[in-house]
Amino acid sequence: MRSQFLTLLCILTFLSCAWGLLDAIVSFSQTEAVSETVYVEQKSTDPKQEKQVKKYFEDRSSDDVPLPGDPEQIKSLAVAQFIYSLLTLLGAFLMFQLRRIGFWIYVAGVAVGLVLPVILGGLGALNTSFGVFFSVLFAGLYWVSIKEMS
């Protein structure tokens, strides 16, 4: 019998992986459009607002940490994200069926999600794959439930 905790973890992983697969497919199939995406700065007509410190979400896409503009790098990072999402989805599906091998496939997917972007895009690629760090947290949470799996 699967616990509610494990069920919740698996469902959240299913949703996250579905989003990751969709994002990877769009990034790979529409590489030119993704590479031409530019940072849109908010224009203010109030002089007082212009002097205020920018909020977190406004600075996130600033020139300090730009999204990759090279179409080849975008394609390679999309492939890395697709592999990562597919492996973690497969692992979560097997854990949902209470199969312990699913945990190890999930951990392998997380490792791929951490290492492959760095290999393909350098250390700067880690900022585009921040969701992988949540997968590390989920791996620890799955580890708590590993006794339920056979």
Side-chain angles (χ1 to χ4, degrees):
M1 182 80 177
R2 184 178 50 254
S3 69
Q4 290 179 348
F5 180 68
L6 181 59
T7 302
L8 178 65
L9 287 175
C10 289
I11 290 171
L12 290 174
T13 302
F14 294 154
L15 294 172
S16 172
C17 291
W19 181 261
L21 288 170
L22 180 66
D23 186 42
I25 291 168
V26 168
S27 293
F28 190 82
S29 64
Q30 299 180 0
T31 306
E32 290 301 320
V34 172
S35 67
E36 292 172 359
T37 303
V38 294
Y39 172 67
V40 179
E41 189 172 338
Q42 181 181 359
K43 300 291 182 190
S44 174
T45 57
D46 185 10
K48 290 180 184 178
Q49 283 184 342
E50 289 179 8
K51 292 183 181 181
Q52 289 179 345
V53 178
K54 289 185 179 181
K55 295 179 180 159
Y56 174 77
F57 64 89
E58 291 175 330
D59 277 339
R60 195 69 186 127
S61 297
S62 67
D63 291 333
D64 294 341
V65 187
L67 294 173
D70 178 24
E72 290 304 314
Q73 186 179 18
I74 291 171
K75 278 191 175 193
S76 63
L77 290 175
V79 169
Q81 181 179 3
F82 186 82
I83 294 169
Y84 152 71
S85 295
L86 197 59
L87 283 173
T88 53
L89 179 63
L90 176 63
F93 180 73
L94 291 171
M95 286 188 284
F96 192 76
Q97 295 179 337
L98 298 176
R99 298 185 57 200
R100 188 174 290 195
I101 189 71
F103 173 77
W104 299 111
I105 293 172
Y106 183 86
V107 169
V110 172
V112 165
L114 284 171
V115 174
L116 201 54
V118 173
I119 291 171
L120 296 174
L123 287 177
L126 280 179
N127 68 347
T128 62
S129 62
F130 186 71
V132 176
F133 293 108
F134 287 108
S135 294
V136 172
L137 175 67
F138 266 56
L141 295 172
Y142 278 124
W143 179 255
V144 171
S145 301
I146 201 164
K147 294 176 196 165
E148 298 176 42
M149 302 173 220
S150 58

